[in-house]
Amino acid sequence: MANLTKEAEDRIVELLLAEGLAEVNLVTAIKQQADASGQSALSELINRKIISDDMVARATAAIINVPYVELKNITLDQETLALIPGDASTRVFAVPLGEKDGLLNVALADVTNVQVTDYLSNLVNRPIRVWMSSERGIREALEQYHGDFSSVNEAVKETNAENATEQSNVKTIVQDSPISKALTTILSYAAKTKASDIHIEPLENSLIIRCRIDGVLRRIMELPKTVAPALVSRIKILSNLKIDEHRVPQDGQFTVSVDGQEIDLRIAISPVTWGEQVVIRLLDKSGTSMEIEKMGMSGRALRDVLEGIKKPNGMILTSGPTGSGKSTTLYALIQKIKSEQINIVTMEDPVEYKMDGINQIQVNVDAGLTFAAGLRSILRQDPDVVMVGEIRDSETAGLAVQAALTGHLVFSTLHTNSAAGILPRLLDMGIEPFLLASTLNVVIGQRLVRRITEKRDMYKSSEIETESINSIVGDLLPQDKESVAKVSEDLGYPGLPVKNDDFYMLARGMDSKETPGGYSGRAGLYETIVVDEDIQKMIISHSTANEIMRLAKSKGTVTMRQDGILKALSGITSIEEVNRVASDLS
């Protein structure tokens, strides 16, 4: 914060109050206490989190007539940042914004410090034009742009100098080498941005690094091709893989610690046209809610599932594409029923989240421990609840059904497009229809959509959006104001709008560096089918997935696409996001 006179601080407080950004009586009381003790009223207000340093910086800029810049909404490239050396920027808390009209624009937290301005002007040998920004904004900019990838650039220079494409050099990679620091930097960036995967992809003349953040791949950097052998070899060393094997795929794993939090990494390396592609899956239990309600399941779907897991036996199956959160849903359901009175055993590939009180078994195909072999072993361990990570073949499907028939509650996943698709899929695996009909409790279909960030704008739906909303959920929405509370409670979305043929109010997130596209985090779209007597009859008669879904909808099932539209009307996600992930669904 800038060094201000008491008069200037008082004017800033008055401005904040005039803008309605703080409660008058509370601010007055704190200001009186600060004046009596000779302390800074602004500092005290910030410390008590009554106002933010962003608010103070903006008000200060207005009062001293200096332009203000909010750094979190600006993306700066490496060329711009190179205008001021990184160590100097960090020392004086300054961020270069670019050149214009012979002046270097620089964001400072303390624009009143003439010595810093003179120092920077002499350092870059040109006049400086200062901009006001908050300490938090400058700190985040310095951390992200100067701290994040400087070690990667160092590794590029070092690798080029040492000609790391030679195998002899690759084998001598050690933990404190520049390439090791570069890998640590990439992993740290992915962890901090809550990426689920890192893709390291070789092209003919370069190496592309991409991260999947909130389900969408984003390119974060491009490196020279000369870095590829050393980087891939370092990953192989950490994963205990063969560094001299380049012809066949290899899988491995290792663990890293970021900000004191351990993150498990699953490594998949495959030979491609221009080298070896590496995909790293990050499994961070701390960043994942294990509460089914917080994951987005609500209303009818939640009630169906909670009733299904109360039964002492039967099957609960989830379906969806890869990365749709199926395993996380099963973990959350197991969390609901976990107790000292029951024995829960899981068979997983891999064990994604380690849970206390659960006996988790890792599949090891090389040692002969497959899903089928492990499931046979589990049934001899006196389990009450069995979780099979995935039903991949007829043998595993048959054993899971037999486990459900013999008094066990079985959880598992399949790769199908919808909940109804589970039923014909299991029939295709050779499961007898009468066995399937008598063992299934609930089947779940799911997808993941990005959540709209808290900073948002509201807008009226377009004619096309309104028509789409009415055609998909018009029959579900309250038909009048008197039914709003009842319908909203039934569907699990408080404050749903009354059906309207003209427009609906929808949310749009504010695009920023931290929330690209206006999204942050993800929520699930769910549909559930309770296998009651009527559904059982359809299974026995080999009905199609569409026929089963039509019957389920007539019984009150909310489809994934309908759930998505309801989430859009509730401000959780957007219509565009629902269409992106569920446009293939009815």
Side-chain angles (χ1 to χ4, degrees), residues 129-240:
R129 184 190 184 201
V130 297
W131 292 66
M132 183 84 187
S133 189
S134 67
E135 287 187 11
R136 183 174 69 92
I138 289 181
R139 187 178 295 109
E140 289 179 359
L142 290 174
E143 178 183 347
Q144 180 169 356
Y145 294 109
H146 283 297
D148 271 0
F149 300 127
S150 58
S151 60
V152 178
N153 295 329
E154 179 187 348
V156 170
K157 295 176 183 176
E158 188 81 13
T159 305
N160 288 335
E162 295 181 0
N163 191 17
T165 56
E166 296 179 11
Q167 190 65 35
S168 59
N169 288 340
V170 168
K171 290 184 177 180
T172 61
I173 296 171
V174 293
Q175 188 170 357
D176 59 351
S177 67
I179 204 68
S180 298
K181 295 177 182 177
L183 176 60
T184 300
T185 298
I186 293 170
L187 294 175
S188 177
Y189 173 83
K192 289 178 180 178
T193 55
K194 301 188 184 304
S196 60
D197 302 88
I198 303 169
H199 290 237
I200 301 173
E201 303 167 337
L203 303 180
E204 184 176 7
N205 300 309
S206 63
L207 187 70
I208 302 300
I209 312 293
R210 297 194 292 170
C211 288
R212 189 178 294 279
I213 303 172
D214 291 337
V216 178
L217 275 172
R218 297 174 192 161
R219 180 167 165 170
I220 62 169
M221 66 170 57
E222 180 176 348
L223 301 175
K225 187 66 175 288
T226 52
V227 175
L231 185 61
V232 174
S233 292
R234 179 59 187 164
I235 293 170
K236 287 180 178 179
I237 290 170
L238 292 170
S239 309
N240 292 320

Side-chain angles (χ1 to χ4, degrees), residues 281-384:
R281 169 66 60 90
L282 291 83
L283 302 172
D284 180 11
K285 182 179 178 180
S286 67
T288 303
S289 170
M290 289 297 173
E291 296 182 38
I292 193 69
E293 296 87 351
K294 291 183 179 180
M295 291 161 55
M297 187 178 287
S298 60
R300 299 174 188 175
L302 181 60
R303 291 195 296 273
D304 290 344
V305 170
L306 294 182
E307 284 299 316
I309 64 177
K310 288 179 182 178
K311 297 181 180 180
N313 55 60
M315 297 176 70
I316 312 289
L317 301 180
T318 66
S319 69
T322 300
S324 59
K326 300 185 296 297
S327 296
T328 307
T329 296
L330 293 188
Y331 282 116
L333 295 180
I334 285 177
Q335 193 80 18
K336 283 278 186 187
I337 63 174
K338 187 179 74 170
S339 76
E340 294 182 355
Q341 284 75 43
I342 61 174
N343 178 25
I344 303 175
V345 186
T346 73
M347 192 76 209
E348 305 172 60
D349 183 23
V351 175
E352 295 191 7
Y353 302 109
K354 298 174 179 65
M355 300 175 68
D356 292 334
I358 308 295
N359 302 299
Q360 297 173 277
I361 300 173
Q362 168 76 52
V363 166
N364 188 342
V365 177
D366 293 338
L369 184 55
T370 61
F371 276 116
L375 189 49
R376 286 194 191 91
S377 172
I378 286 173
L379 295 178
R380 295 192 291 270
Q381 297 174 18
D382 185 33
D384 298 290

Side-chain angles (χ1 to χ4, degrees), residues 464-503:
I464 294 176
E465 288 174 329
T466 303
E467 184 179 346
S468 175
I469 292 169
N470 285 331
S471 65
I472 296 172
V473 298
D475 294 339
L476 294 177
L477 291 176
Q479 303 300 308
D480 50 56
K481 292 183 179 180
E482 288 72 23
S483 61
V484 167
K486 182 179 179 181
V487 173
S488 297
E489 182 180 1
D490 177 46
L491 295 174
Y493 295 104
L496 285 174
V498 175
K499 183 183 178 182
N500 186 350
D501 293 327
D502 297 326
F503 68 87

